[in-house]
Amino acid sequence: MIMVASYCRVSTDKEDQANSFASQQRYFKEYIDRQPDWELYRVYADEGITGTSTKKRVQFNHMISDAKMGKFQIILTKEVSRFSRNILDTIGYTRELKALGVGVLFMNDGINTLEPDAELRLSIMGSIAQEESRKTSTRVKWGQTRQMERGVVFGRSMLGYDVKNGTLTINPEGAELVRLIFHKYGVEGKGTSIIAREMREAGFLTYTGNSRWNNSHIVKILKNEKYVGDLIIPVVDRKVS
């Protein structure tokens, strides 16, 4: 019996049913069931993680580790872009797997890495996937830049500021703490470690509700572009009617 694994990289978008974990898992299971000598070992899936790098893809790296241990002989994946959008990663990992006797079958692309011409075809498809990823990134950045020019704010809420629906709003309670930190540093001339200790002793909480202020908390606040004035955007003050 040939043990077969499958790899999915899925979107966190609940509307993206075509690439959902459940639909891919069902597809691979049904495909493997139709092969008389195959048995499904495991489905590995990374959710909502970019395909341009494998460093943060926990399940992908787990799969490679299991392959080195000889737990399966074949990996099924939907297409090259699901496996990786980085051509060097694609070629490097498929070569490594082939040396281990593990073939990768890219279903939609019709590529089996154990075949003689697979690397050439994979290089072409991998290059296309990488270029498409670059174009997508460029389009997203362009769109975000145009929205930022209109005053739309990207990012999360932070101490002194609330971000909601693209609008930055001053949070009065948090803003007082930010002003206090800058006063201690700029006017009183205190170091970041001393400021952190005084914030702890006073019982003030960080944005995450932590009372354990440390040097890095203070440094990040003092360098943040939204506090020091390097970012020009419309800000809503709750005290203004």
Side-chain angles (χ1 to χ4, degrees), residues 113-124:
T113 59
L114 297 180
E115 295 177 350
D117 66 340
E119 189 163 308
L120 173 61
R121 297 168 61 199
L122 197 58
S123 297
I124 296 171

Side-chain angles (χ1 to χ4, degrees), residues 214-238:
N214 57 45
N215 177 65
S216 63
H217 284 132
I218 306 302
V219 171
K220 287 180 181 178
I221 288 173
L222 293 173
K223 290 184 176 181
N224 192 293
E225 61 181 3
K226 293 183 177 67
Y227 296 139
V228 301
D230 291 339
L231 186 67
I232 303 175
I233 53 175
V235 178
V236 178
D237 193 331
R238 291 182 184 175

Side-chain angles (χ1 to χ4, degrees), residues 19-35:
N19 291 324
S20 71
F21 174 61
S23 63
Q24 290 192 49
Q25 185 181 38
R26 183 170 55 253
Y27 171 81
F28 288 129
K29 187 178 184 305
E30 291 174 354
Y31 184 87
I32 291 171
D33 285 344
R34 292 196 296 270
Q35 316 306 316

Side-chain angles (χ1 to χ4, degrees), residues 98-113:
K98 185 177 181 179
L100 295 169
V102 178
V104 183
L105 274 62
F106 299 93
M107 310 298 290
N108 289 0
D109 302 311
I111 298 175
N112 180 343
T113 59

